[in-house]
């Protein structure tokens, strides 16, 4: 006997009928017209549909029709000459269990039943089809996480994300820029072996490279992953080192977006240090979001510039050498400028152009435009 | 007389369009279209709902059953599968 774990809502009815003294088990042949079968099974608590041969599939249709059109909600059992390969189909058309003639294949039945975990179409097994999961689950899941993290301390969000939510499948993305030490300091306390993805674009300030080494060592981060552009691509697309001038989007794609895409396949979630006060598109930044099918966790989303400054002071964290020189947000040297006091912190990035994001935080179809 | 049929996107079920622009599984509730120009206009409306109905098209109906040349095909779509149990929906056709 193989249970098919159908999501059934019929147990109460069955028990009630059994207690009332009624409730019979009816066996019908698989080739019975469903209207006739519907009459024969009236009052039954269990219906056995007999398959004379595994090659005769009419019992499958009959099961579905009894469930769907006759509205039969009781126990449905498949009996007769059935083979393990049919386990999944029997489940999908609405059988609760199977009693095959051959009883020595239980292992094969169990294996066949577990072969597929998802369904494309709705059927009598009441499994939520994939499109239904795509539509409802991710949003609900994100909303639930965002609700849970609302008002939580950044370090608690990080701890939960790393230890509970996406254990072993999460990394932090860091530029080792002006504010990076905050998130990295928290990571160092929670799990210093968390992978830190650092995009070495080949156009970084020498001060950034130096700061990256010093800060990693001071905080005890043990898993820095340097991600670099492919050498052949760089030679082909940017032979004269002037791509940043001609087409900054193409330069970011070559030096940041594609190299990152190559490594993030290993992770379900990425932590970023983006904050709403950065302005632009970031003003509506949620704590947890989905980007191209991957989770982004932004534990510092709600932080203010003042909170960042205070955090540096409280833990006596070293500042990026350039931040004392008026650089509030630091990327590659050709496209980063200092900002005036009353500018947005990211005003010095690609300044004089409409570009505000490099593309690693935007959906791929937008970045590709 | 004509009506509009299609398959529902979410589960593939055969559906018919009502006069109110809803979709139903019951042919009896489907809109009856006698004027060809109106029928084409209704079909254009149905085609504008690809998130609900896939591949809408016009079929012939007689009374409450599929008619015209494709009466059997539409009969099977309406009541199938045909495993020894398909109810013949158009009794006049059965005699013929």
């Amino acid at each position: 006997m193989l249970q098919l774990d159908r999501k059934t809502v019929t147990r109460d009815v069955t028990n009630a009928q059994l207690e009332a003294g009624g409730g019979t088990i009816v066996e019908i042949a698989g080739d019975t017209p469903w209207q006739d079968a519907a009459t024969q099974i009236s009052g039954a608590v269990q219906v056995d549909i007999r398959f004379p041969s595994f090659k005769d599939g009419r019992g499958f249709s009959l099961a579905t029709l009894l469930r769907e059109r006759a509205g039969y909600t009781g126990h449905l059992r498949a009996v007769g000459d059935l083979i393990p390969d049919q386990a999944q189909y029997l489940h999908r058309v609405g059988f609760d269990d199977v009693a095959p003639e051959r009883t020595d294949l239980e292992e094969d039945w169990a294996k066949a039943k577990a072969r597929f975990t998802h369904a494309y179409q709705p059927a009598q097994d009441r499994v939520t089809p994939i499109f239904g999961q795509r539509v409802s689950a991710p949003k609900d899941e994100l909303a639930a996480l965002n609700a849970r993290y609302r008002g939580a301390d950044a370090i608690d969000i990080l701890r939960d994300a790393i230890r509970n939510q996406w254990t072993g499948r999460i990394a932090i993305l860091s530029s080792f820029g002006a504010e990076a030490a905050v998130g990295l300091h928290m990571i160092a306390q929670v799990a210093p072996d968390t992978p830190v993805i650092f995009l070495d674009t080949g156009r970084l300030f020498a001060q950034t490279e130096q700061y990256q080494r010093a800060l990693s060592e001071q905080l005890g981060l043990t898993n820095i992953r340097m991600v670099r552009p492919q050498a052949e691509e760089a030679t082909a697309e940017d032979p004269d080192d002037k791509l940043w001038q001609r087409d900054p989007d193409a330069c970011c794609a070559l030096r940041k977006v594609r190299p990152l895409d190559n490594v993030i396949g290993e992770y379900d979630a990425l932590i970023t240090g983006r904050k709403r006060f950065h302005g632009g598109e970031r003003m509506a930044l949620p704590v947890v979001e989905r980007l191209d099918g991957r989770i982004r966790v932004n534990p510092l989303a709600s932080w203010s510039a003042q909170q960042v400054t205070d955090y540096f002071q409280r833990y006596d964290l070293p500042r990026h050498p350039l931040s004392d020189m008026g650089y509030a947000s630091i990327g590659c040297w050709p496209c980063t400028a200092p900002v005036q006091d009353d500018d947005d912190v990211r005003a010095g990035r690609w300044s004089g152009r409409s570009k505000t994001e490099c593309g690693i935080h935007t959906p791929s179809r937008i970045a590709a435009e | 007389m004509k009506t509009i049929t299609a398959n529902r996107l979410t589960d593939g079920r055969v559906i018919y369009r009502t006069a109110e622009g809803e979709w139903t599984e019951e042919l009896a509730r489907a809109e009856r279209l006698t004027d060809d120009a109106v029928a084409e206009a209704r079909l254009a409306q149905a085609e504008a709902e690809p998130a609900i109905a896939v591949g809408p098209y016009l079929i012939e109906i007689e009374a409450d059953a599929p008619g015209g040349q494709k009466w059997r095909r539409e009969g099977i779509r309406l009541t199938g599968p045909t495993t020894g149990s398909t109810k013949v929906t158009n009794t006049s056709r059965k005699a013929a």
Side-chain angles (χ1 to χ4, degrees):
Chain A
M1 184 71 60
L2 179 85
Q3 297 297 325
L4 291 169
D5 308 329
R6 182 171 175 271
K7 281 182 198 159
T8 172
V9 287
T10 62
R11 288 292 151 243
D12 294 344
V13 178
T14 308
N15 289 339
Q17 280 172 319
L18 282 172
E19 277 164 25
T24 48
I25 298 174
V26 176
E27 181 177 311
I28 48 175
D31 60 353
T32 316
W34 78 267
Q35 292 94 338
D36 299 351
T39 323
Q40 288 173 35
I41 66 169
S42 110
V45 293
Q46 180 180 323
V47 173
D48 294 0
I49 295 182
R50 180 158 292 280
F51 289 74
S53 156
F54 76 89
K55 291 177 284 187
D56 184 345
R58 287 177 285 186
F60 289 97
S61 301
L62 182 57
T64 290
L65 292 169
L66 289 182
R67 289 281 188 218
E68 200 167 296
R69 301 214 187 142
Y72 175 68
T73 55
H75 197 88
L76 202 53
R77 175 174 294 171
V79 297
D81 182 34
L82 290 154
I83 58 173
D85 299 275
Q86 294 174 311
Q88 204 82 36
Y89 305 115
L90 290 165
H91 181 228
R92 298 239 70 204
V93 300
F95 283 105
D96 292 292
D97 53 29
V98 195
E101 262 162 26
R102 269 190 76 169
T103 51
D104 57 336
L105 297 171
E106 274 194 25
E107 215 171 286
D108 294 326
W109 276 98
K111 219 181 277 174
K113 181 189 137 194
R115 196 166 291 152
F116 297 98
T117 52
H118 290 71
Y120 279 117
Q121 289 191 311
Q124 290 305 312
D125 55 4
R126 318 250 172 89
V127 168
T128 307
I130 291 172
F131 72 83
Q133 293 179 9
R134 278 194 189 135
V135 173
S136 60
K139 253 189 232 156
D140 295 350
E141 193 188 315
L142 284 188
L145 277 172
N146 274 314
R148 188 139 67 86
Y149 291 158
R150 191 163 300 136
D153 283 345
I155 192 160
D156 293 331
I157 297 173
L158 277 176
R159 190 177 289 121
D160 187 65
I162 293 172
R163 297 208 181 143
N164 306 327
Q165 289 296 330
W166 299 281
T167 318
R169 303 281 303 168
I170 189 167
I172 181 168
L173 194 54
S174 182
S175 62
F176 286 88
E179 298 167 356
V182 175
L184 294 170
H185 177 255
M186 291 181 181
I187 290 285
Q189 295 172 67
V190 172
D193 58 344
T194 305
V196 179
I197 298 177
F198 174 52
L199 295 172
D200 181 359
T201 61
R203 294 288 178 277
L204 296 177
F205 289 97
Q207 287 92 331
T208 302
E209 292 170 358
Q210 170 210 330
Y211 183 60
Q212 181 269 313
R213 286 190 294 270
L215 189 63
S216 305
E217 193 178 323
Q218 180 180 335
L219 296 177
L221 300 169
T222 57
N223 197 357
I224 308 287
R225 295 199 55 183
M226 307 283 266
V227 176
R228 299 189 171 89
Q230 302 275 334
E232 313 87 71
E233 288 181 16
T235 320
E237 294 173 33
D238 191 7
D240 57 356
D241 286 353
K242 286 280 183 343
L243 187 60
W244 62 270
Q245 207 169 32
R246 285 196 305 275
D247 186 348
D249 283 338
C251 191
C252 285
L254 166 71
R255 299 182 180 281
K256 289 178 138 187
V257 181
R258 273 182 276 144
L260 181 64
D261 280 347
N262 289 338
V263 297
I264 55 176
E266 300 165 37
Y267 308 106
D268 293 335
L270 288 182
I271 300 160
T272 86
R274 286 175 297 161
K275 302 163 194 78
R276 288 179 201 132
F277 83 82
H278 292 163
E281 291 167 28
R282 299 187 178 187
M283 285 193 287
L285 187 70
V287 173
V288 187
E289 60 181 341
R290 189 180 294 269
L291 186 79
D292 291 342
R294 193 161 277 108
I295 296 290
R296 292 289 171 103
V297 186
N298 314 306
L300 303 170
S302 65
W303 277 43
S304 66
Q306 189 59 47
Q307 276 176 289
V308 174
T309 309
D310 291 349
Y311 194 93
F312 268 92
Q313 277 174 357
R314 187 177 338 140
Y315 294 102
D316 196 19
L317 296 171
R319 303 205 67 114
H320 192 293
L322 292 176
S323 61
D324 295 333
M325 297 159 64
Y327 290 83
S329 172
I330 300 161
C332 299
W333 63 262
C335 298
T336 304
V339 294
Q340 304 300 318
D341 279 347
D342 49 353
D343 272 341
D344 274 353
V345 289
R346 286 175 63 83
R349 305 292 295 275
W350 306 281
S351 66
R353 296 183 187 263
S354 64
K355 187 174 170 65
T356 58
E357 291 282 352
C358 63
I360 58 174
H361 301 305
T362 38
S364 54
R365 62 196 147 77
I366 293 177
E369 272 171 13
Chain B
M1 208 158 25
K2 289 179 179 172
T3 194
I4 294 169
T5 184
N7 289 79
R8 190 156 55 207
L9 177 69
T10 52
D11 59 4
R13 284 300 135 86
V14 175
I15 47 177
Y16 304 92
R17 196 174 167 86
T18 68
E20 294 79 38
E22 305 287 311
W23 293 92
T24 173
E25 289 180 51
E26 297 161 41
L27 182 59
R29 288 184 51 211
E31 183 175 20
R32 302 289 186 267
L33 299 159
T34 45
D35 184 289
D36 279 357
V38 175
E40 289 300 330
R42 287 280 193 277
L43 183 59
Q45 289 171 6
E47 280 168 348
E49 296 175 354
I52 305 169
V54 180
Y57 60 96
L58 291 163
I59 56 166
E60 290 281 341
I61 48 169
E62 292 170 12
D64 271 345
Q69 287 189 335
K70 294 186 173 168
W71 70 277
R72 193 182 289 280
R73 170 197 150 96
E74 290 303 326
I76 292 169
R77 283 183 79 238
L78 177 62
T79 63
T82 56
T83 54
S85 57
T86 303
K87 204 166 62 177
V88 174
T89 53
N90 195 328
T91 42
S92 63
R93 292 281 179 173
K94 191 187 181 187

